[in-house]
Amino acid sequence: MSKRITFNELRKIKDMLPDGSMQRIADELGINAETVRNYFGGDNYEAGKAVGIHLEQGPDGGIVLLDDTRILEKAKEII
Protein backbone atom coordinates (compact mmCIF):
# COMPACT_ATOMS: atom_id res chain seq x y z
CA MET A 1 0.00 0.00 0.00
CA SER A 2 1.44 3.39 -0.94
CA LYS A 3 1.15 6.58 1.07
CA ARG A 4 1.85 10.28 0.53
CA ILE A 5 3.51 12.28 3.31
CA THR A 6 5.57 15.45 3.38
CA PHE A 7 9.30 15.05 3.78
CA ASN A 8 9.20 17.18 6.91
CA GLU A 9 6.53 14.91 8.44
CA LEU A 10 8.66 11.87 7.67
CA ARG A 11 11.72 13.50 9.28
CA LYS A 12 9.64 14.51 12.32
CA ILE A 13 8.63 10.88 12.84
CA LYS A 14 12.29 9.84 12.55
CA ASP A 15 13.34 12.49 15.05
CA MET A 16 10.73 11.27 17.57
CA LEU A 17 12.15 7.73 17.57
CA PRO A 18 14.24 6.73 20.59
CA ASP A 19 17.87 5.67 20.19
CA GLY A 20 18.27 2.22 18.68
CA SER A 21 14.99 2.34 16.77
CA MET A 22 16.56 2.06 13.32
CA GLN A 23 18.19 -1.23 14.29
CA ARG A 24 15.02 -2.44 16.02
CA ILE A 25 12.90 -1.74 12.94
CA ALA A 26 15.51 -3.43 10.75
CA ASP A 27 15.59 -6.52 12.98
CA GLU A 28 11.80 -6.79 13.10
CA LEU A 29 11.47 -6.50 9.32
CA GLY A 30 14.56 -8.56 8.46
CA ILE A 31 16.32 -5.74 6.60
CA ASN A 32 19.54 -3.73 6.97
CA ALA A 33 19.55 -0.77 9.40
CA GLU A 34 21.03 1.47 6.68
CA THR A 35 18.02 0.66 4.51
CA VAL A 36 15.78 1.94 7.31
CA ARG A 37 17.90 5.11 7.56
CA ASN A 38 17.59 5.57 3.78
CA TYR A 39 13.80 5.38 4.17
CA PHE A 40 13.94 8.40 6.47
CA GLY A 41 16.08 10.45 4.10
CA GLY A 42 19.52 8.90 4.36
CA ASP A 43 21.55 8.17 1.28
CA ASN A 44 23.97 5.37 2.13
CA TYR A 45 23.28 3.02 -0.77
CA GLU A 46 26.57 1.16 -0.41
CA ALA A 47 25.50 -0.34 2.93
CA GLY A 48 21.72 -0.04 2.54
CA LYS A 49 19.23 -0.37 -0.27
CA ALA A 50 16.79 1.96 -1.95
CA VAL A 51 13.41 1.62 -0.30
CA GLY A 52 10.79 2.75 -2.78
CA ILE A 53 10.41 6.39 -1.86
CA HIS A 54 9.78 9.01 -4.50
CA LEU A 55 10.34 12.71 -3.80
CA GLU A 56 8.61 15.66 -5.43
CA GLN A 57 9.76 19.18 -4.64
CA GLY A 58 7.27 21.38 -2.87
CA PRO A 59 6.37 22.96 0.47
CA ASP A 60 7.33 21.24 3.74
CA GLY A 61 10.37 19.67 2.13
CA GLY A 62 8.33 18.24 -0.72
CA ILE A 63 6.01 15.28 -1.04
CA VAL A 64 7.22 11.74 -0.48
CA LEU A 65 5.38 8.82 -2.03
CA LEU A 66 6.13 5.67 -0.05
CA ASP A 67 5.64 2.46 -2.05
CA ASP A 68 5.75 0.35 1.12
CA THR A 69 4.61 1.64 4.51
CA ARG A 70 5.91 -1.20 6.72
CA ILE A 71 8.87 0.84 8.02
CA LEU A 72 6.63 3.85 8.70
CA GLU A 73 4.10 1.66 10.51
CA LYS A 74 6.84 0.11 12.70
CA ALA A 75 8.17 3.57 13.52
CA LYS A 76 4.71 4.74 14.56
CA GLU A 77 4.29 1.63 16.75
CA ILE A 78 7.54 2.48 18.55
CA ILE A 79 6.52 6.11 19.08
Side-chain angles (χ1 to χ4, degrees), residues 10-52:
L10 187 63
R11 293 296 291 188
K12 183 177 178 181
I13 291 168
K14 179 212 171 266
D15 291 343
M16 291 170 50
L17 291 168
D19 290 343
S21 295
M22 298 296 156
Q23 188 63 55
R24 178 177 166 188
I25 292 168
D27 291 345
E28 290 182 16
L29 295 178
I31 58 178
N32 183 294
E34 286 302 321
T35 300
V36 177
R37 287 182 185 89
N38 290 346
Y39 189 87
F40 288 104
D43 62 358
N44 185 348
Y45 298 107
E46 290 179 23
K49 296 182 179 180
V51 288

